[in-house]
Amino acid sequence: MKNFVLIILLFFLNGCGYTSIYTDQKSKEIYISVINTEGDSVINNYLKNQLKVISDKESANIFNISFVSKYERTTIAKNSAGVATDYRLGAEIEFNIDKNGVNKIIILTENINIKNEGENFEQRNYESSIKRNFVISIKNKLVPFLINFDDN
């Protein structure tokens, strides 16, 4: 009986229709060369590393990219003692993309509201992980733009 349930479960999971958004990326491999960066050094380093991972040096699709990153931490709520309880964290990256002499500019942003954790060490670690997540999210928005660069 267990085997029958397992077979039925596998049958339904196999037909769920899931496909990766990067299924055709193999046919459109890209090489990203980061020319210049400005702004938040932590975000810039995370992003350069993320772009290096997805770059294929053998590709004919060569993109020269420079970007300016901005990171903001804004207080959105305080308690009665005047201590910040809620923050809005935001990252904005302006990309200047050049491919074969064609320039395009794209601005990608990410925002999140967080509660103040209290301890500075934990708060800094939490914000650092949020910066990494911002970069991953922005990279995931940038790659489809680059793949369809000629269509835009």
Side-chain angles (χ1 to χ4, degrees):
M1 187 63 179
K2 280 185 176 182
N3 290 337
F4 180 71
V5 172
L6 183 62
I7 290 172
I8 296 296
L9 182 65
L10 287 174
F11 177 73
F12 283 114
L13 288 178
N14 189 27
C16 72
Y18 170 78
T19 58
S20 172
I21 61 173
Y22 300 115
T23 50
D24 65 341
Q25 186 175 354
K26 287 290 184 199
S27 63
K28 300 192 179 201
E29 295 169 338
I30 57 177
Y31 176 69
I32 301 169
S33 173
V34 177
I35 303 299
N36 188 26
T37 64
E38 294 179 28
D40 188 87
S41 62
V42 174
I43 288 178
N44 291 349
N45 288 335
Y46 286 152
L47 186 56
K48 282 194 293 190
N49 289 336
Q50 287 290 316
L51 295 177
K52 191 182 293 186
V53 167
I54 63 169
S55 289
D56 178 18
K57 291 183 180 181
E58 308 284 322
S59 175
N61 291 327
I62 300 171
F63 295 92
N64 295 315
I65 294 180
S66 38
F67 56 87
V68 178
S69 63
K70 297 177 190 168
Y71 178 74
E72 260 187 2
R73 179 181 183 207
T74 309
T75 302
I76 56 175
K78 294 182 179 183
N79 63 14
S80 59
V83 177
T85 58
D86 294 348
Y87 295 106
R88 173 179 299 265
L89 304 179
E92 175 182 286
I93 303 178
E94 179 180 331
F95 293 95
N96 187 349
I97 304 165
D98 177 59
K99 180 184 178 190
N100 299 329
V102 177
N103 275 333
K104 292 187 183 179
I105 294 175
I106 182 173
I107 299 172
L108 300 173
T109 60
E110 287 293 324
N111 293 300
I112 189 171
N113 294 342
I114 64 167
K115 297 267 185 210
N116 187 358
E117 296 292 324
E119 291 188 36
N120 289 335
F121 179 73
E122 287 180 16
Q123 188 73 22
R124 281 194 307 264
N125 284 342
Y126 184 49
E127 287 186 32
S128 178
S129 70
I130 288 174
K131 281 184 179 183
R132 270 187 250 117
N133 291 336
F134 280 170
V135 167
I136 291 169
S137 177
I138 287 173
K139 178 207 61 161
N140 289 339
K141 292 177 186 177
L142 179 67
V143 169
F145 179 83
L146 295 176
I147 289 172
N148 298 315
F149 186 82
D150 298 327
D151 300 338
N152 295 332

